[in-house]
Amino acid sequence: MTLPLNNAQRYVPEAINGDFRGKHIVTVEQFAPDDMDSLFKSAARMRTRVQRGDRGLVDLCLGKVMATLFFEASTRTDMSFQAAMLRLGGEVISTSGGVQFSSVYKGENLADTVRAVGCYADVVVLRHPEVRSSYEAAYYLDRLNERLGTHPVVVSGGDGVGEHPTQALLDLFTIADIKGSLDNLKITLVGDLLYGRTVHSLAKLIALHGAVNTTLAFVSPEMLKMPPAVMSFLKSRDIAVYETQQLDEVIGDSDVIYWTRIQEERFPLRADYEAIADQFIVTPATMARASDKAILMHPLPRKHEMGTQADHDVLDADQRSVYFQQMANGMYMRMALLAKVLGAER
Ligand code: ASP
Protein backbone atom coordinates (compact mmCIF):
# COMPACT_ATOMS: atom_id res chain seq x y z
CA MET A 1 0.00 0.00 0.00
CA THR A 2 1.39 3.45 -0.85
CA LEU A 3 -0.04 6.88 -0.11
CA PRO A 4 0.57 10.11 -2.06
CA LEU A 5 3.65 12.19 -1.38
CA ASN A 6 3.21 15.45 0.53
CA ASN A 7 6.34 17.56 0.26
CA ALA A 8 8.66 15.96 -2.27
CA GLN A 9 8.58 19.13 -4.39
CA ARG A 10 9.92 21.19 -1.48
CA TYR A 11 13.19 19.29 -1.27
CA VAL A 12 16.03 20.65 -3.40
CA PRO A 13 18.86 18.14 -3.86
CA GLU A 14 22.30 19.35 -2.77
CA ALA A 15 25.21 19.22 -5.19
CA ILE A 16 27.98 16.98 -3.90
CA ASN A 17 30.73 19.39 -4.89
CA GLY A 18 33.53 17.25 -3.55
CA ASP A 19 31.87 16.61 -0.18
CA PHE A 20 29.50 13.68 0.21
CA ARG A 21 29.24 13.79 4.01
CA GLY A 22 25.68 13.88 5.31
CA LYS A 23 24.12 14.48 1.88
CA HIS A 24 20.99 12.70 0.75
CA ILE A 25 21.47 10.92 -2.59
CA VAL A 26 18.30 11.28 -4.65
CA THR A 27 19.33 12.07 -8.25
CA VAL A 28 22.35 11.82 -10.51
CA GLU A 29 22.03 15.57 -11.02
CA GLN A 30 23.94 16.00 -7.75
CA PHE A 31 27.17 14.65 -9.24
CA ALA A 32 29.86 16.60 -11.05
CA PRO A 33 32.53 14.75 -13.07
CA ASP A 34 35.05 14.95 -10.19
CA ASP A 35 32.51 13.46 -7.78
CA MET A 36 31.94 10.54 -10.15
CA ASP A 37 35.65 10.03 -10.69
CA SER A 38 36.30 10.01 -6.96
CA LEU A 39 33.56 7.39 -6.52
CA PHE A 40 35.00 5.31 -9.37
CA LYS A 41 38.46 5.39 -7.74
CA SER A 42 37.01 4.49 -4.39
CA ALA A 43 34.91 1.63 -5.84
CA ALA A 44 38.02 0.23 -7.55
CA ARG A 45 39.91 0.46 -4.23
CA MET A 46 37.05 -1.30 -2.43
CA ARG A 47 37.15 -4.05 -5.04
CA THR A 48 40.89 -4.59 -4.63
CA ARG A 49 40.62 -4.63 -0.87
CA VAL A 50 37.66 -7.03 -0.80
CA GLN A 51 39.26 -9.31 -3.37
CA ARG A 52 42.47 -9.60 -1.42
CA GLY A 53 40.60 -10.11 1.84
CA ASP A 54 41.91 -6.91 3.38
CA ARG A 55 40.80 -6.73 7.02
CA GLY A 56 41.39 -2.99 7.25
CA LEU A 57 38.12 -2.35 5.44
CA VAL A 58 35.93 -3.64 8.21
CA ASP A 59 36.48 -0.54 10.30
CA LEU A 60 35.30 2.13 7.89
CA CYS A 61 31.65 2.19 9.00
CA LEU A 62 32.05 0.57 12.40
CA GLY A 63 29.20 1.61 14.68
CA LYS A 64 27.04 2.87 11.81
CA VAL A 65 23.60 1.46 11.04
CA MET A 66 21.95 1.25 7.63
CA ALA A 67 18.21 0.58 7.26
CA THR A 68 16.68 -0.79 4.07
CA LEU A 69 13.15 0.30 3.29
CA PHE A 70 12.00 -1.42 0.12
CA PHE A 71 8.42 -0.86 -1.02
CA GLU A 72 9.14 -2.62 -4.32
CA ALA A 73 10.80 -5.89 -5.22
CA SER A 74 14.58 -6.01 -5.36
CA THR A 75 17.39 -8.54 -5.29
CA ARG A 76 20.57 -6.79 -6.42
CA THR A 77 20.02 -3.31 -5.05
CA ASP A 78 18.79 -4.48 -1.65
CA MET A 79 21.36 -7.22 -1.13
CA SER A 80 24.32 -5.32 -2.55
CA PHE A 81 23.61 -2.39 -0.22
CA GLN A 82 23.37 -4.79 2.71
CA ALA A 83 26.54 -6.62 1.76
CA ALA A 84 28.30 -3.28 1.20
CA MET A 85 27.44 -2.05 4.70
CA LEU A 86 28.41 -5.34 6.33
CA ARG A 87 31.73 -5.37 4.49
CA LEU A 88 32.38 -1.86 5.77
CA GLY A 89 31.88 -3.07 9.34
CA GLY A 90 28.45 -1.45 9.79
CA GLU A 91 25.15 -2.99 10.80
CA VAL A 92 21.99 -3.46 8.76
CA ILE A 93 18.37 -3.37 9.90
CA SER A 94 15.03 -3.79 8.14
CA THR A 95 11.47 -4.65 9.11
CA SER A 96 11.09 -8.36 9.63
CA GLY A 97 9.50 -9.82 6.54
CA GLY A 98 9.64 -6.56 4.55
CA VAL A 99 7.57 -3.38 4.59
CA GLN A 100 4.32 -5.30 4.22
CA PHE A 101 4.78 -6.25 7.89
CA SER A 102 5.59 -2.70 9.03
CA SER A 103 3.12 0.04 10.00
CA VAL A 104 2.83 0.81 6.28
CA TYR A 105 0.36 -2.04 6.38
CA LYS A 106 -1.67 -0.05 8.91
CA GLY A 107 -1.81 2.91 6.54
CA GLU A 108 1.22 4.90 7.73
CA ASN A 109 2.53 7.31 5.11
CA LEU A 110 6.11 7.53 3.83
CA ALA A 111 6.83 10.72 5.78
CA ASP A 112 6.17 8.97 9.08
CA THR A 113 7.69 5.61 8.21
CA VAL A 114 10.91 7.20 7.03
CA ARG A 115 11.19 9.34 10.18
CA ALA A 116 10.71 6.29 12.38
CA VAL A 117 13.50 4.53 10.51
CA GLY A 118 15.58 7.72 10.64
CA CYS A 119 15.47 7.56 14.45
CA TYR A 120 17.29 4.23 14.37
CA ALA A 121 19.67 4.40 11.41
CA ASP A 122 22.42 6.65 10.04
CA VAL A 123 21.45 5.90 6.45
CA VAL A 124 18.14 4.79 4.98
CA VAL A 125 18.14 3.09 1.58
CA LEU A 126 14.71 3.63 0.07
CA ARG A 127 13.04 1.99 -2.89
CA HIS A 128 9.52 3.17 -3.53
CA PRO A 129 7.08 3.15 -6.49
CA GLU A 130 6.47 6.92 -6.53
CA VAL A 131 8.68 9.25 -8.59
CA ARG A 132 10.59 11.53 -6.17
CA SER A 133 9.77 9.46 -3.11
CA SER A 134 13.40 9.84 -2.01
CA TYR A 135 12.92 13.65 -2.17
CA GLU A 136 9.97 13.24 0.18
CA ALA A 137 12.12 11.13 2.50
CA ALA A 138 14.93 13.70 2.39
CA TYR A 139 12.52 16.51 3.19
CA TYR A 140 11.12 14.72 6.24
CA LEU A 141 14.50 13.48 7.47
CA ASP A 142 15.65 17.10 7.46
CA ARG A 143 12.60 18.01 9.58
CA LEU A 144 13.53 15.19 11.97
CA ASN A 145 17.02 16.60 12.14
CA GLU A 146 15.60 19.98 13.19
CA ARG A 147 13.72 18.34 16.08
CA LEU A 148 16.26 15.78 17.27
CA GLY A 149 19.60 17.02 16.00
CA THR A 150 20.36 13.66 14.39
CA HIS A 151 21.40 13.48 10.80
CA PRO A 152 20.26 10.36 8.97
CA VAL A 153 20.56 10.46 5.18
CA VAL A 154 18.44 8.78 2.54
CA VAL A 155 19.97 7.07 -0.46
CA SER A 156 17.57 6.30 -3.29
CA GLY A 157 17.42 2.68 -4.33
CA GLY A 158 15.02 3.55 -7.18
CA ASP A 159 12.07 5.98 -7.33
CA GLY A 160 9.30 4.41 -9.43
CA VAL A 161 9.77 5.28 -13.10
CA GLY A 162 11.96 8.24 -12.13
CA GLU A 163 15.60 7.58 -11.29
CA HIS A 164 17.94 4.92 -9.98
CA PRO A 165 21.10 6.90 -9.21
CA THR A 166 23.26 4.16 -7.67
CA GLN A 167 22.55 1.84 -10.61
CA ALA A 168 23.74 4.56 -12.99
CA LEU A 169 26.91 5.05 -10.93
CA LEU A 170 27.73 1.36 -11.03
CA ASP A 171 26.89 1.22 -14.74
CA LEU A 172 29.12 4.14 -15.63
CA PHE A 173 31.88 2.77 -13.39
CA THR A 174 31.63 -0.54 -15.26
CA ILE A 175 31.89 1.21 -18.64
CA ALA A 176 34.87 3.34 -17.55
CA ASP A 177 36.53 0.34 -15.95
CA ILE A 178 36.23 -1.90 -19.00
CA LYS A 179 36.74 0.71 -21.71
CA GLY A 180 39.49 2.57 -19.85
CA SER A 181 37.94 5.95 -20.74
CA LEU A 182 34.55 7.48 -21.29
CA ASP A 183 35.72 9.32 -24.42
CA ASN A 184 34.97 8.32 -28.03
CA LEU A 185 32.19 5.87 -27.18
CA LYS A 186 28.94 5.13 -28.95
CA ILE A 187 26.57 4.12 -26.17
CA THR A 188 23.29 2.53 -27.21
CA LEU A 189 20.39 2.15 -24.78
CA VAL A 190 17.70 -0.30 -25.91
CA GLY A 191 14.20 -1.32 -24.85
CA ASP A 192 11.87 0.35 -22.39
CA LEU A 193 13.30 3.85 -22.22
CA LEU A 194 10.02 5.33 -21.00
CA TYR A 195 9.49 3.38 -17.80
CA GLY A 196 13.07 2.16 -17.24
CA ARG A 197 14.50 4.32 -14.46
CA THR A 198 18.03 2.92 -14.90
CA VAL A 199 18.32 4.40 -18.39
CA HIS A 200 16.97 7.78 -17.26
CA SER A 201 19.72 8.03 -14.66
CA LEU A 202 22.43 6.53 -16.86
CA ALA A 203 21.78 8.83 -19.83
CA LYS A 204 21.82 11.87 -17.55
CA LEU A 205 24.94 10.71 -15.73
CA ILE A 206 26.80 10.18 -19.03
CA ALA A 207 25.82 13.67 -20.13
CA LEU A 208 26.84 15.13 -16.77
CA HIS A 209 30.20 13.40 -16.84
CA GLY A 210 30.97 14.85 -20.23
CA ALA A 211 33.26 12.98 -22.57
CA VAL A 212 35.01 13.90 -25.77
CA ASN A 213 33.22 12.59 -28.83
CA THR A 214 30.87 10.25 -26.92
CA THR A 215 27.36 9.91 -28.30
CA LEU A 216 24.12 8.26 -27.23
CA ALA A 217 21.68 6.22 -29.34
CA PHE A 218 18.24 5.34 -28.03
CA VAL A 219 16.44 2.36 -29.56
CA SER A 220 12.87 1.69 -28.47
CA PRO A 221 9.34 1.23 -29.74
CA GLU A 222 7.63 4.57 -30.44
CA MET A 223 5.47 4.18 -27.34
CA LEU A 224 8.48 3.62 -25.04
CA LYS A 225 10.72 6.52 -26.09
CA MET A 226 12.90 8.37 -23.57
CA PRO A 227 10.68 10.86 -21.67
CA PRO A 228 10.77 14.52 -22.81
CA ALA A 229 12.17 15.68 -19.44
CA VAL A 230 15.24 13.46 -19.85
CA MET A 231 15.59 14.50 -23.51
CA SER A 232 15.60 18.17 -22.63
CA PHE A 233 18.11 17.58 -19.83
CA LEU A 234 20.42 15.86 -22.35
CA LYS A 235 19.92 18.72 -24.79
CA SER A 236 20.90 21.23 -22.13
CA ARG A 237 24.13 19.27 -21.58
CA ASP A 238 24.94 19.27 -25.29
CA ILE A 239 25.44 15.55 -25.85
CA ALA A 240 24.57 14.13 -29.28
CA VAL A 241 21.56 11.80 -29.12
CA TYR A 242 20.14 9.70 -31.95
CA GLU A 243 16.69 8.09 -31.59
CA THR A 244 15.50 5.19 -33.71
CA GLN A 245 13.29 2.12 -33.64
CA GLN A 246 15.77 0.15 -35.77
CA LEU A 247 18.56 -1.48 -33.81
CA ASP A 248 20.36 -2.43 -37.02
CA GLU A 249 21.01 1.24 -37.73
CA VAL A 250 23.33 1.45 -34.72
CA ILE A 251 24.30 -1.97 -33.41
CA GLY A 252 27.34 -2.52 -35.62
CA ASP A 253 28.98 0.71 -34.45
CA SER A 254 28.05 0.55 -30.76
CA ASP A 255 30.76 0.25 -28.13
CA VAL A 256 28.22 -0.21 -25.35
CA ILE A 257 24.87 -1.93 -25.82
CA TYR A 258 22.71 -1.48 -22.72
CA TRP A 259 19.64 -3.70 -22.90
CA THR A 260 16.61 -3.27 -20.66
CA ARG A 261 13.56 -5.22 -19.58
CA ILE A 262 10.16 -4.00 -20.74
CA GLN A 263 8.76 -2.84 -17.40
CA GLU A 264 5.57 -4.88 -17.50
CA GLU A 265 4.47 -3.79 -14.02
CA ARG A 266 4.48 -0.08 -15.00
CA PHE A 267 2.07 -0.23 -17.96
CA PRO A 268 -1.33 1.33 -17.24
CA LEU A 269 -2.85 -0.78 -20.05
CA ARG A 270 -2.10 -4.47 -20.37
CA ALA A 271 -2.86 -4.34 -24.11
CA ASP A 272 -0.06 -1.79 -24.62
CA TYR A 273 2.41 -4.10 -22.93
CA GLU A 274 1.28 -7.06 -24.99
CA ALA A 275 1.60 -5.06 -28.22
CA ILE A 276 5.35 -4.57 -27.74
CA ALA A 277 6.34 -7.35 -25.32
CA ASP A 278 7.97 -9.45 -27.99
CA GLN A 279 9.97 -6.70 -29.62
CA PHE A 280 13.54 -5.82 -28.71
CA ILE A 281 14.85 -9.23 -27.75
CA VAL A 282 18.62 -9.69 -27.66
CA THR A 283 19.83 -13.14 -28.66
CA PRO A 284 23.18 -14.56 -29.81
CA ALA A 285 22.04 -13.72 -33.37
CA THR A 286 21.67 -10.06 -32.37
CA MET A 287 25.14 -10.01 -30.85
CA ALA A 288 26.54 -11.57 -34.04
CA ARG A 289 25.77 -8.18 -35.63
CA ALA A 290 27.62 -6.24 -32.91
CA SER A 291 31.30 -5.44 -33.02
CA ASP A 292 33.94 -7.55 -31.26
CA LYS A 293 34.82 -4.66 -29.00
CA ALA A 294 31.23 -3.97 -27.96
CA ILE A 295 30.03 -4.77 -24.45
CA LEU A 296 26.52 -5.97 -23.62
CA MET A 297 25.09 -4.58 -20.38
CA HIS A 298 21.78 -5.18 -18.58
CA PRO A 299 20.71 -3.91 -15.14
CA LEU A 300 18.80 -7.19 -14.55
CA PRO A 301 16.51 -8.92 -13.77
CA ARG A 302 16.11 -10.30 -17.30
CA LYS A 303 13.11 -12.01 -18.72
CA HIS A 304 12.30 -12.92 -22.27
CA GLU A 305 14.09 -9.79 -23.63
CA MET A 306 17.23 -11.96 -23.55
CA GLY A 307 15.52 -14.84 -25.31
CA THR A 308 15.30 -18.34 -23.91
CA GLN A 309 17.40 -19.98 -21.21
CA ALA A 310 19.51 -21.48 -24.02
CA ASP A 311 20.08 -17.94 -25.35
CA HIS A 312 21.02 -16.76 -21.84
CA ASP A 313 23.61 -19.52 -21.60
CA VAL A 314 25.20 -18.56 -24.93
CA LEU A 315 25.12 -14.84 -24.12
CA ASP A 316 26.53 -15.43 -20.63
CA ALA A 317 29.52 -17.20 -22.12
CA ASP A 318 30.14 -14.35 -24.60
CA GLN A 319 33.13 -12.30 -23.37
CA ARG A 320 31.28 -9.16 -24.41
CA SER A 321 28.52 -9.73 -21.85
CA VAL A 322 29.39 -7.77 -18.72
CA TYR A 323 26.19 -7.86 -16.66
CA PHE A 324 27.85 -10.05 -14.02
CA GLN A 325 30.61 -7.46 -13.69
CA GLN A 326 27.86 -4.83 -13.27
CA MET A 327 26.35 -6.89 -10.47
CA ALA A 328 29.66 -7.28 -8.68
CA ASN A 329 30.55 -3.62 -9.18
CA GLY A 330 27.21 -2.69 -7.60
CA MET A 331 28.47 -3.73 -4.20
CA TYR A 332 31.81 -1.95 -4.59
CA MET A 333 30.14 1.23 -5.80
CA ARG A 334 27.66 1.14 -2.91
CA MET A 335 30.53 0.57 -0.46
CA ALA A 336 32.23 3.66 -1.87
CA LEU A 337 29.08 5.75 -1.66
CA LEU A 338 28.15 4.63 1.86
CA ALA A 339 31.68 5.27 3.12
CA LYS A 340 31.56 8.77 1.66
CA VAL A 341 28.09 9.85 2.79
CA LEU A 342 28.81 8.51 6.27
CA GLY A 343 32.01 10.53 6.38
CA ALA A 344 34.24 7.45 6.68
CA GLU A 345 36.11 8.30 3.50
CA ARG A 346 36.76 11.62 1.74
N1 ASP B 1 16.60 -3.65 -11.39
C1 ASP B 1 16.37 -2.49 -12.20
C2 ASP B 1 15.45 -1.53 -11.49
O1 ASP B 1 15.15 -1.72 -10.33
C3 ASP B 1 15.92 -2.82 -13.59
C4 ASP B 1 14.61 -3.54 -13.75
O2 ASP B 1 13.89 -3.79 -12.78
O3 ASP B 1 14.31 -3.86 -14.90
O4 ASP B 1 15.06 -0.53 -12.07
Side-chain angles (χ1 to χ4, degrees):
M1 181 185 337
T2 58
L3 298 166
L5 305 181
N6 301 305
N7 274 306
Q9 74 290 350
R10 294 180 65 188
Y11 177 73
V12 181
E14 252 187 292
I16 300 297
N17 242 331
D19 187 2
F20 290 77
R21 279 171 311 167
K23 289 185 180 154
H24 304 296
I25 305 295
V26 298
T27 168
V28 291
E29 292 178 35
Q30 294 171 264
F31 300 100
D34 285 350
D35 302 322
M36 296 177 220
D37 291 340
S38 108
L39 275 171
F40 296 168
K41 282 200 189 90
S42 172
R45 270 199 308 274
M46 296 293 181
R47 182 171 58 196
T48 308
R49 295 170 77 174
V50 169
Q51 284 174 352
R52 67 171 189 229
D54 192 336
R55 297 185 62 80
L57 260 188
V58 294
D59 282 351
L60 277 177
C61 288
L62 205 63
K64 300 287 185 188
V65 175
M66 181 188 86
T68 57
L69 200 50
F70 277 58
F71 292 77
E72 278 190 340
S74 174
T75 302
R76 276 150 288 271
T77 305
D78 187 4
M79 295 189 75
S80 66
F81 262 113
Q82 294 195 45
M85 191 57 171
L86 294 173
R87 285 182 183 275
L88 291 167
E91 306 286 336
V92 178
I93 56 169
S94 58
T95 49
S96 323
V99 285
Q100 67 270 34
F101 293 111
S102 71
S103 290
V104 169
Y105 176 73
K106 303 177 189 167
E108 185 171 65
N109 66 17
L110 179 62
D112 284 357
T113 304
V114 86
R115 276 179 293 191
V117 178
C119 288
Y120 315 132
D122 303 292
V123 56
V124 182
V125 181
L126 174 73
R127 169 168 290 189
H128 191 277
E130 297 294 328
V131 173
R132 291 186 179 240
S133 45
S134 55
Y135 291 57
E136 172 98 343
Y139 175 83
Y140 281 102
L141 287 178
D142 285 349
R143 302 291 75 75
L144 185 72
N145 182 23
E146 284 161 10
R147 296 302 301 271
L148 301 185
T150 54
H151 198 67
V153 294
V154 64
V155 176
S156 169
D159 281 12
V161 297
E163 277 213 39
H164 195 344
T166 61
Q167 176 78 43
L169 288 167
L170 76 89
D171 289 339
L172 198 58
F173 170 55
T174 305
I175 296 172
D177 193 43
I178 294 173
K179 293 289 178 189
S181 157
L182 292 170
D183 293 339
N184 300 309
L185 296 178
K186 292 195 184 343
I187 301 177
T188 298
L189 310 184
V190 191
D192 187 346
L193 307 185
L194 178 65
Y195 298 124
R197 57 191 168 201
T198 69
V199 281
H200 302 163
S201 288
L202 180 57
K204 285 163 75 172
L205 197 67
I206 291 166
L208 282 162
H209 191 283
V212 183
N213 204 24
T214 285
T215 57
L216 290 170
F218 296 159
V219 186
S220 70
E222 180 63 26
M223 108 171 55
L224 297 179
K225 282 170 73 171
M226 194 62 95
V230 178
M231 290 304 283
S232 51
F233 182 89
L234 300 177
K235 197 155 179 228
S236 75
R237 303 293 308 189
D238 242 7
I239 182 161
V241 180
Y242 178 68
E243 286 185 286
T244 177
Q245 295 184 45
Q246 306 304 326
L247 180 66
D248 278 337
E249 284 181 20
V250 291
I251 190 166
D253 271 355
S254 300
D255 301 289
V256 176
I257 302 163
Y258 188 104
W259 215 273
T260 62
R261 178 177 68 89
I262 307 290
Q263 310 276 301
E264 181 176 358
E265 69 277 26
R266 310 278 186 207
F267 280 70
L269 294 177
R270 179 84 203 153
D272 285 349
Y273 169 71
E274 278 163 7
I276 43 84
D278 292 331
Q279 297 176 26
F280 298 92
I281 295 180
V282 58
T283 63
T286 320
M287 286 308 288
R289 305 200 295 279
S291 111
D292 288 345
K293 62 178 177 39
I295 56 172
L296 175 64
M297 302 180 74
H298 194 304
L300 301 174
R302 60 182 163 184
K303 290 175 51 188
H304 68 284
E305 78 283 359
M306 264 205 200
T308 61
Q309 183 62 49
D311 292 327
H312 292 183
D313 294 342
V314 176
L315 288 170
D316 295 354
D318 187 325
Q319 288 306 306
R320 297 171 298 173
S321 299
V322 301
Y323 30 87
F324 293 106
Q325 280 98 312
Q326 281 173 271
M327 250 190 266
N329 286 339
M331 184 180 77
Y332 304 126
M333 175 52 68
R334 287 165 178 139
M335 288 174 77
L337 188 66
L338 287 171
K340 285 184 190 295
V341 295
L342 290 171
E345 191 192 81
R346 298 304 298 269

